[in-house]
Amino acid sequence: MRGELLGVILAGGNSRRFGKPKALARLHGRPLWRLAASRLRTVCSRVVAVVNDARVASELETEVDVLPDRQTGLGPLAGVDAALALAGREGLGGALVLAVDMPWAGREALVRLTDSWREHRRGCAVATGSPWGFEPLCAVYPVAARLPLERWLERGAREAGAFARSLDLQVVESGLPASSFRSVNAPPDLPPPAFSIVGNKKSGKTTLSVAVIAELARRGRRVMSVKHGHHFRVDTPGTDSWRHRHEGNAGRVLLTGPADFALMGDWGPGGEPSLDILLSRHLSDAEIVVVEGHRDAPLPKVEIFRAAAQPEPVLDPARARAQGALGAVTDRPELPWSVPVHAADAPDVAAWIADLVEGALL
């Protein structure tokens, strides 16, 4: 048991800037606490949540054990303190903590943290672009850190980064961009609800996407969309905007008019940002976003699969739900789909998908 870690969701904050409990806020239809729990469960056999809000505790306790801070009003380190006390009582080696407002810290980082802990038996935190150079709220704290932490809190110190640095800390490369560890501090930090329509080439993704967009708009939804492509050009050589960009070397060019606008440019040294960053940055006022493609993005999905286009679907039918699918539109309903299925050529297919995504995301 000493080699095992307690998985801990740090969800005890007051969420003053957010205006309501952040743990209950949703990212593409899923509460932030459930996202954290599902990731921690991939590397820890036991997961608990440190919660001080009765509203949050009542929702979480149906799926995870909840415990309060032993000392209130001391910030996230009080949550680490409560976690280490529990880990010590249960004979565990330490606690793998994940802040609930860090929903883009993916499984890769948690795997690297636990692997490093098992190899070195030292406290460790993932490397990020933060001022500390590491993220103290996506980290492993050994049970041995409990007494130093108690002394730290007794002095009234609250800075998690400073405390982590005072330990025999190992900084672990996460394998993720620094943006994956950004925090949700205010509602605009979360992207609008989105889902993707995925499928093989010539399966009818665009036709289905257009029909679903039209159906959602007909229902009064403010719908926006994303189309993923490769090597496309939207600017015409020789036009004024083209000259601004290619002769003047402007990084981005914004065209505006009385009724329309367009933004053209390149991503720069960092490359293409994550889809959620793009949604927050450019489509923040959407009520719902329909994404065509982006099959690898962590979004709810609807697959369209036609046997004539490709012999196999994009998603494994038996694991489609686990892979994030809400449903499938197909001419092969007899496959072992783990999600609801609808006929690809049925006249009500767009309405069926609209019902599905409204129920899951809105």
Side-chain angles (χ1 to χ4, degrees):
M1 291 289 284
R2 299 299 299 176
E4 293 299 317
L5 293 171
L6 178 69
V8 182
I9 308 166
L10 296 177
N14 293 320
S15 304
R16 292 189 184 93
R17 283 180 289 176
F18 199 79
K20 58 183 179 181
K22 283 190 282 189
L24 304 183
R26 292 175 176 262
L27 175 62
H28 305 308
R30 298 188 68 191
L32 297 190
W33 72 265
R34 189 167 284 141
L35 285 169
S38 65
R39 288 178 182 150
L40 286 166
R41 284 191 181 111
T42 64
V43 291
C44 298
S45 58
R46 176 150 153 70
V47 174
V48 301
V50 182
V51 180
N52 296 304
D53 187 310
R55 294 169 296 173
V56 178
S58 64
E59 178 163 334
L60 272 63
E61 64 189 5
T62 61
E63 295 187 29
V64 297
D65 290 334
V66 299
L67 63 150
D69 290 341
R70 298 195 304 162
Q71 305 178 68
T72 59
L74 295 179
L77 280 181
V80 178
D81 169 64
L84 290 179
L86 177 60
R89 290 195 300 271
E90 297 192 352
L92 302 175
L96 169 60
V97 304
L98 178 62
V100 77
D101 61 358
M102 208 179 293
W104 297 283
R107 178 180 178 275
E108 304 95 316
L110 303 185
V111 169
R112 294 190 182 204
L113 280 172
T114 53
D115 286 348
S116 177
W117 158 256
R118 291 183 178 120
E119 181 179 356
H120 301 288
R121 291 295 193 273
R122 291 166 56 193
C124 49
V126 294
T128 73
S130 75
W132 292 103
F134 58 86
E135 179 46 68
L137 301 184
C138 183
V140 171
Y141 291 90
V143 167
R146 179 181 167 188
L147 288 178
L149 178 54
E150 287 180 352
R151 297 189 191 102
W152 186 272
L153 294 175
E154 285 171 359
R155 298 200 306 267
R158 301 187 183 186
E159 178 56 64
F163 172 72
R165 181 168 283 173
S166 73
L167 302 174
D168 181 22
L169 185 74
Q170 180 184 12
V171 177
V172 178
E173 284 295 336
S174 68
L176 298 172
S179 62
S180 297
F181 299 92
R182 65 194 186 278
S183 296
V184 175
N185 294 314
D189 294 332
L190 286 172
F195 72 99
S196 59
I197 294 178
V198 301
N200 291 305
K201 189 175 181 180
K202 296 184 179 179
S203 59
K205 291 191 302 293
T206 298
T207 298
L208 184 60
S209 298
V210 170
V212 173
I213 292 167
E215 175 63 22
L216 289 166
R218 185 189 66 77
R219 298 183 182 195
R221 303 294 186 184
R222 181 164 172 76
V223 193
M224 299 183 188
S225 68
V226 176
K227 171 70 172 75
H228 196 254
H230 299 275
H231 309 298
F232 55 84
R233 175 177 286 279
V234 294
D235 203 6
T236 304
T239 61
D240 292 347
S241 58
W242 185 92
R243 294 188 64 198
H244 279 225
R245 184 179 173 197
H246 296 280
E247 292 181 17
N249 291 319
R252 291 178 190 159
V253 179
L254 178 65
L255 284 77
T256 64
D260 305 285
F261 75 95
L263 178 66
M264 293 171 291
D266 55 58
W267 296 123
E272 183 178 3
S274 73
L275 181 58
D276 276 350
I277 288 178
L278 295 176
L279 295 176
S280 297
R281 186 179 295 167
H282 300 296
L283 305 182
S284 60
D285 53 339
E287 186 176 4
I288 189 166
V289 178
V290 180
V291 179
E292 182 185 338
H294 274 284
R295 63 174 63 178
D296 295 325
L299 292 178
K301 298 174 176 61
V302 174
E303 172 157 6
I304 177 168
F305 171 58
R306 296 179 187 273
Q310 292 287 340
E312 300 292 338
V314 169
L315 304 174
D316 176 355
R319 297 185 59 251
R321 186 178 298 280
Q323 291 174 302
L326 299 173
V329 174
T330 181
D331 55 5
R332 292 290 307 280
E334 76 281 2
L335 295 177
W337 297 100
S338 55
V339 292
V341 174
H342 202 73
D345 295 317
D348 65 339
V349 64
W352 181 80
I353 293 175
D355 288 343
L356 203 64
V357 299
E358 282 183 329
L361 276 68
L362 304 176

